Amino acid sequence: MLPTLCRKSYWRHTVVVPRISAATVPEHRDAQRRALLRAAAELIVSSGVAAVTPTSVGERAGIARTSVYDYFGSREDLLVAVAINAFEEWSRDLASALDGAESGIPRLRRYIDATMAMAADGRHNLATALRPADLSPRRVEEIAALHEALRGPLHAILIEAGVDEAAAYEPYIQSVIGAGLARVVDGEDPHDAAARIQQLIIHGFPRANSQ
């Protein structure tokens, strides 16, 4: 117990430390940052990039607006962080989906299946929504480089599958897959889209039986 005469002075000068929701301060900060990224991503998909402000993101995440700046120095930093996080998640989940797949055509099929499935869960919407964001040229290049890195697995798969002039055909194959992504985003069943893409790329377009 504090002496009676000292209690008032003690509480007057004690700094109140905010409660944390994790075992350690670093874990708490990581959880807060992830909550902000998740809130920003949800706002982008539901209402567009213009809806993302420190205030709106903080409110959605349950974090004070001023605290948002403890994690992201500016709105642009926040948007870029959302993009980086989305690409990292996409890359990680795609690698997990490809794990154990037989090389060659089976791996290509798995790649297409996984890509369409991930488009169906809304993550491609996020990448599309970020395109019109008002970012500096340097940041636009940074995001473009991340997007380009996602093409790496497809290139390796085409090489493994024995595709002649894989680098020359890759942009065309990527375009077909991109068209499938757009169809899934518009509501087409991802399994149907994957089957059509595989048919077109691996076997060629189907022909009606001649009469």
Side-chain angles (χ1 to χ4, degrees), residues 18-25 27-29 31-32:
R19 295 179 63 185
I20 63 176
S21 56
T24 65
V25 172
E27 289 176 353
H28 171 74
R29 287 186 58 82
Q32 295 283 79

Coordinates of all heavy atoms in Angstrom, one line a residue, residues 18-25 27-29 31-32:
P18 N -1.9 1.9 -22.7 CA -3.1 1.3 -23.3 C -3.1 -0.2 -23.2 O -2.0 -0.8 -23.3 CB -2.9 1.8 -24.8 CG -2.1 3.0 -24.7 CD -1.1 2.8 -23.6
R19 N -4.2 -0.8 -23.0 CA -4.3 -2.2 -23.0 C -4.0 -2.8 -24.3 O -4.4 -2.3 -25.4 CB -5.7 -2.6 -22.5 CG -6.1 -2.2 -21.1 CD -7.5 -2.6 -20.8 NE -7.6 -4.1 -20.8 CZ -8.7 -4.7 -20.6 NH1 -9.9 -4.0 -20.4 NH2 -8.8 -6.0 -20.6
I20 N -3.3 -3.9 -24.3 CA -3.0 -4.6 -25.6 C -3.8 -5.9 -25.7 O -4.1 -6.5 -24.6 CB -1.5 -4.8 -25.8 CG1 -1.0 -5.8 -24.7 CG2 -0.7 -3.5 -25.7 CD1 0.5 -6.1 -24.8
S21 N -4.0 -6.3 -26.9 CA -4.9 -7.5 -27.1 C -4.0 -8.7 -27.5 O -4.6 -9.7 -28.0 CB -5.9 -7.2 -28.2 OG -5.2 -6.8 -29.4
A22 N -2.7 -8.7 -27.2 CA -1.9 -9.8 -27.5 C -0.9 -10.0 -26.4 O -0.8 -9.2 -25.5 CB -1.1 -9.6 -28.9
A23 N -0.1 -11.1 -26.5 CA 0.8 -11.4 -25.4 C 1.9 -10.4 -25.2 O 2.4 -10.2 -24.1 CB 1.3 -12.9 -25.6
T24 N 2.4 -9.9 -26.4 CA 3.5 -8.9 -26.3 C 3.1 -7.7 -27.2 O 2.2 -7.7 -28.0 CB 4.8 -9.5 -26.9 OG1 4.6 -9.8 -28.3 CG2 5.1 -10.8 -26.2
V25 N 3.8 -6.6 -27.0 CA 3.6 -5.4 -27.7 C 3.8 -5.6 -29.2 O 3.0 -5.2 -30.1 CB 4.5 -4.2 -27.2 CG1 4.4 -3.0 -28.1 CG2 4.0 -3.8 -25.8
E27 N 3.4 -8.3 -31.0 CA 2.3 -9.1 -31.5 C 1.1 -8.2 -31.5 O 0.3 -8.4 -32.5 CB 2.1 -10.3 -30.5 CG 3.1 -11.4 -30.6 CD 2.9 -12.5 -29.6 OE1 2.0 -12.4 -28.8 OE2 3.6 -13.5 -29.7
H28 N 0.9 -7.4 -30.6 CA -0.3 -6.4 -30.6 C -0.2 -5.5 -31.8 O -1.2 -5.3 -32.5 CB -0.3 -5.6 -29.3 CG -1.3 -4.5 -29.3 ND1 -2.6 -4.7 -29.2 CD2 -1.1 -3.2 -29.5 CE1 -3.2 -3.5 -29.2 NE2 -2.3 -2.6 -29.4
R29 N 1.0 -5.0 -32.1 CA 1.1 -4.1 -33.2 C 0.9 -4.8 -34.5 O 0.3 -4.3 -35.5 CB 2.5 -3.4 -33.2 CG 2.7 -2.4 -32.1 CD 4.1 -1.7 -32.3 NE 4.2 -1.1 -33.6 CZ 3.7 0.1 -33.9 NH1 3.0 0.8 -33.0 NH2 3.9 0.6 -35.1
A31 N -1.0 -7.4 -34.9 CA -2.5 -7.6 -35.1 C -3.2 -6.4 -35.5 O -4.1 -6.4 -36.3 CB -3.0 -8.2 -33.7
Q32 N -2.8 -5.2 -34.9 CA -3.4 -4.0 -35.3 C -3.2 -3.6 -36.7 O -4.1 -3.2 -37.5 CB -2.8 -2.8 -34.4 CG -3.2 -2.9 -32.9 CD -4.6 -2.5 -32.6 OE1 -5.5 -3.3 -32.8 NE2 -4.8 -1.3 -32.1

